[in-house]
Amino acid sequence: MAIISDWRAGPRSPGAPDDKFIFVDLGPKTNQKRADNFGSGRDGNDLKAVGKGSRTLAGMNFKLADGVIQLGSDLLGTKKPTKVEGIKVGHTCAKLHILHATGYGNGSNVGEAGKEGDPLFIADGTKIAEYKIRYDDGASAIIPVVYGEDVRDWWFTAGAKGVTRGKVAWRGENELAKSFNCGIRLYLTSWENPHPAKKITSIDYVKVGNGPAAPFCVAITLEAK
């Protein structure tokens, strides 16, 4: 396995963001501290390296809370929920930007490509989650999260695939991943709102299907017209 050496944490935002950006406060709904161990809870498997507060990642401004919203997985049992409803928004927007990833997906053998039948493998094209956008008139819209298109396993090795619809927003490391010659990364999904004049009241974050995927949302930013 080649050691990952291309760590690009991205610059910190210089002060307050432009007025065109509104940060969604995930704080009341977070259920996983970034400084705590993710997944199975093995020591050193955290997300401390991404930093805290205002960050500019992949050209987009985000505000990172102390925690993330972690959805459940067959591998996590009942420790995490399969959906988190009622993330408050209360604004209109032209676009919505999401910083997120998933636990699991590469396969059991770290550093090697997984295959069908491996309990930790997720095939490209598998829908693993969705964000349900709820408008103030009762209408709704869906932002799908598809493995290989929007996100992949947050652990990665040299030469690992990117995503086809989103983009890699941040690369870093933690102590556990580093011990396997791996890095960690987060992904950016940018969604154009089909109803920019309607106020978004809230967002539901929902796991789709069974399987190993343990999707997590780190931050959401609204972009005004």
Side-chain angles (χ1 to χ4, degrees):
M1 292 182 290
I3 296 176
I4 302 297
S5 59
D6 182 17
W7 307 119
R8 290 174 287 185
R12 292 187 179 277
S13 298
D18 189 283
D19 288 344
K20 71 183 292 187
F21 297 113
I22 299 169
F23 300 136
V24 175
D25 182 11
L26 301 187
K29 297 293 184 178
T30 58
N31 58 4
Q32 168 70 46
K33 295 291 187 183
R34 290 188 295 103
D36 291 345
N37 297 318
F38 279 61
S40 63
R42 294 180 65 180
D43 285 346
N45 195 27
D46 55 58
L47 193 54
K48 291 186 290 189
V50 72
K52 180 183 175 182
S54 296
R55 300 298 312 273
T56 299
L57 303 172
M60 180 51 53
N61 288 1
F62 290 100
K63 189 171 184 180
L64 279 60
D66 289 328
V68 307
I69 300 176
Q70 172 75 74
L71 297 182
S73 163
D74 287 359
L75 301 173
L76 300 181
T78 59
K79 291 193 294 184
K80 300 297 182 184
T82 56
K83 60 182 177 181
V84 173
E85 298 175 299
I87 303 167
K88 292 184 179 180
V89 180
H91 296 278
T92 60
C93 71
K95 294 182 179 179
L96 189 148
H97 306 280
I98 305 168
L99 184 66
H100 57 168
T102 187
Y104 309 113
N106 287 338
S108 301
N109 297 320
V110 178
E112 300 179 14
K115 298 179 181 179
E116 291 284 357
D118 183 327
L120 302 188
F121 175 73
I122 302 171
D124 283 10
T126 303
K127 185 177 178 181
I128 63 171
E130 65 184 24
Y131 297 86
K132 186 170 186 177
I133 309 301
R134 296 186 179 276
Y135 298 99
D136 61 355
D137 65 353
S140 62
I142 298 294
I143 305 174
V145 182
V146 178
Y147 194 87
E149 296 180 16
D150 305 297
V151 300
R152 290 189 181 276
D153 194 323
W154 69 313
W155 278 39
F156 77 103
T157 56
K161 293 180 181 179
V163 287
T164 58
R165 181 163 53 193
K167 63 174 67 173
V168 175
W170 174 84
R171 297 178 177 90
E173 61 184 18
N174 65 37
E175 290 303 313
L176 184 61
K178 192 164 57 172
S179 72
F180 287 94
N181 290 328
C182 292
I184 55 176
R185 62 187 182 183
L186 300 175
Y187 305 85
L188 170 67
T189 290
S190 293
W191 177 75
E192 188 166 347
N193 185 3
H195 307 292
K198 292 183 181 181
K199 181 182 290 185
I200 298 173
T201 57
S202 64
I203 300 172
D204 299 338
Y205 186 31
V206 183
K207 168 79 180 286
V208 173
N210 298 318
F216 60 91
C217 178
V218 179
I220 299 176
T221 295
L222 306 180
E223 183 177 346
K225 296 180 183 179

